[in-house]
Amino acid sequence: PTASDYRPARTYMRPYMLVIMYSKNVLIDGPTFRNSPKFALIPKYCQNLIIRNIRVDNAYWAQNGDGIDIEGGKNVAVYNNDVTAGDDGICMKSSPTDDKNFSAPALKNVIVADNVVHHGHGGFVIGSNTDGGIKNVDVRDCDFIGTDRGLRFKSYRGNGGLVQDIYVNDIYMTRIVKQAIYFNTYYHSSGKAGQPEPVTKKTPRFRDFHISHIYCDGANTAVSMTGLPEMPVKNVTLSDIRITAKHGFSANEVEHINMKNFKVLPESGTTYSLKNSRDVLFDNVAVPHNMSTFLELSGKKTSHIKFKNVKLPESKQQVKFGPEVKKNALQINGGT
């Protein structure tokens, strides 16, 4: 047989290990899931769901070897679990359903706490399918060790919806392969980069994320945020955070980003790079003295970049303006 002979059946040849659908008052307590063909555990549209004390053990190379994926539902608690995944570790997804009990947002009221993710594409993840809407998720007291990314929020045109009121607190990360904190609503997007497209009900809308008390000891990149030109990532607060990484903070197509008590300590490159970003506040952020460039601004939409309670480097070479950025786009301690 050839590969084409198996293609009609490929969905069924690599099934999920355990799927629970449209159920109420569900408790999953204590089992181990190992070497799942695809996602290990995926409850869909469940109400009053508790997942605790479970172990997922998938190889790092397992294709779509997600650990715990919650796809739709309400009143969900995921705590005290140990996950080793080939894809996303603990992931929130949401797609529309005909069940009126799960009208948008199809996933809401979720607590994720006291979990350990050892490796995977992301420690805690939202997406990529978010077109059913996600609201009111609280993530706290988790450890991510050697994951590709720590906090991973992703979606794309045609598969997105409104994701809002996401709270992340008290996260410890170490040996993160790529980004410690990662937003990308251009994930797998079609179309020319930088070109806006019409906003539809399936345009990803990420807003009202509150991330605080994050400690990361070692990552390739501290923070990467990418929105869409027609729909920026907006209303994100990042407070009481310390990240050591090879590279610093970059943002493109973001709006209303507030950073307070924020320490990014990169080894090289630019500490903060902002493109087409507006209304960004840096309040008491660290200023590494070993960097050739502290701040780089680019993109004609970049405006209202403010530094408060910060002593910037005296060298003007450490702050770079792209030719399309107006000089009054940057305000330092109330001045320009």
Side-chain angles (χ1 to χ4, degrees):
T2 65
S4 60
D5 295 324
Y6 290 102
R7 189 168 292 114
R10 63 182 176 179
T11 300
Y12 309 100
M13 296 177 71
R14 213 162 45 81
Y16 304 124
M17 181 167 278
L18 176 61
V19 182
I20 301 172
M21 300 180 66
Y22 298 102
S23 300
K24 294 183 178 180
N25 304 326
V26 179
L27 172 63
I28 304 173
D29 187 356
T32 295
F33 300 86
R34 180 174 288 120
N35 296 330
S36 60
K38 201 173 180 182
F39 302 169
L41 173 61
I42 178 165
K44 296 186 175 186
Y45 310 108
C46 293
Q47 300 181 56
N48 307 328
L49 166 68
I50 296 174
I51 300 172
R52 68 187 185 198
N53 304 320
I54 77 164
R55 180 182 178 188
V56 177
D57 188 7
N58 281 344
Y60 73 92
W61 43 260
Q63 184 179 5
N64 302 121
D66 291 38
I68 301 170
D69 281 29
I70 310 297
E71 182 159 354
K74 58 185 177 181
N75 307 331
V76 177
V78 180
Y79 65 94
N80 200 34
N81 303 292
D82 190 283
V83 177
T84 300
D87 205 304
D88 293 329
I90 299 172
C91 184
M92 305 292 112
K93 301 178 182 290
S94 177
S95 293
T97 175
D98 293 333
D99 190 323
K100 294 181 180 179
N101 289 318
F102 299 98
S103 57
L107 178 60
K108 62 183 178 181
N109 305 337
V110 180
I111 295 175
V112 178
D114 296 302
N115 302 287
V116 179
V117 180
H118 295 280
H119 65 63
H121 292 183
F124 174 77
V125 182
I126 290 178
S128 60
N129 53 306
T130 61
D131 48 330
I134 298 174
K135 183 176 182 179
N136 196 23
V137 179
D138 190 317
V139 184
R140 60 181 60 247
D141 299 306
C142 293
D143 295 346
F144 306 141
I145 304 168
T147 55
D148 286 0
R149 297 173 176 91
L151 300 171
R152 186 186 194 199
F153 309 118
K154 57 181 178 174
S155 194
Y156 59 96
R157 292 167 174 147
N159 205 32
L162 179 57
V163 179
Q164 64 178 342
D165 299 334
I166 310 299
Y167 301 86
V168 183
N169 298 277
D170 299 308
I171 306 296
Y172 174 80
M173 314 180 200
T174 186
R175 303 195 309 274
I176 302 302
V177 178
K178 296 181 181 179
Q179 301 92 348
I181 300 174
Y182 176 80
F183 286 81
N184 190 354
T185 55
Y186 201 75
Y187 181 77
H188 286 176
S189 276
S190 59
K192 187 177 180 180
Q195 294 297 317
E197 295 191 4
V199 174
T200 72
K201 64 181 181 179
K202 291 200 173 186
T203 299
R205 289 168 288 158
F206 283 11
R207 62 183 61 170
D208 302 321
F209 283 67
H210 308 278
I211 301 172
S212 65
H213 297 97
I214 310 296
Y215 179 83
C216 177
D217 182 14
N220 181 274
T221 300
V223 180
S224 175
M225 304 178 71
T226 304
L228 294 169
E230 69 270 20
M231 187 62 65
V233 173
K234 62 176 62 177
N235 300 345
V236 178
T237 60
L238 300 160
S239 62
D240 299 295
I241 292 174
R242 186 182 191 277
I243 302 173
T244 61
K246 292 182 180 179
H247 307 288
F249 176 107
S250 66
N252 185 12
E253 298 292 357
V254 301
E255 184 175 311
H256 301 306
I257 310 299
N258 290 341
M259 286 167 274
K260 185 173 183 178
N261 303 330
F262 190 82
K263 292 185 178 181
V264 168
L265 304 172
E267 295 177 5
S268 62
T270 301
T271 307
Y272 295 101
S273 177
L274 304 178
K275 181 178 181 180
N276 289 325
S277 302
R278 44 267 189 213
D279 295 305
V280 180
L281 173 63
F282 298 84
D283 185 355
N284 190 31
V285 300
V287 181
H289 295 288
N290 62 322
M291 308 299 291
S292 59
T293 304
F294 172 71
L295 174 66
E296 184 172 356
L297 303 178
S298 63
K300 64 182 180 180
K301 290 189 283 186
T302 293
S303 63
H304 298 95
I305 310 301
K306 300 179 182 179
F307 282 83
K308 179 181 177 182
N309 300 316
V310 177
K311 185 178 180 180
L312 292 183
E314 294 181 2
S315 171
K316 294 183 178 180
Q317 293 181 349
Q318 292 206 19
V319 178
K320 295 183 178 180
F321 288 80
E324 67 278 28
V325 179
K326 296 180 180 179
K327 295 300 180 184
N328 64 1
L330 176 62
Q331 298 179 17
I332 303 171
N333 297 322
T336 57

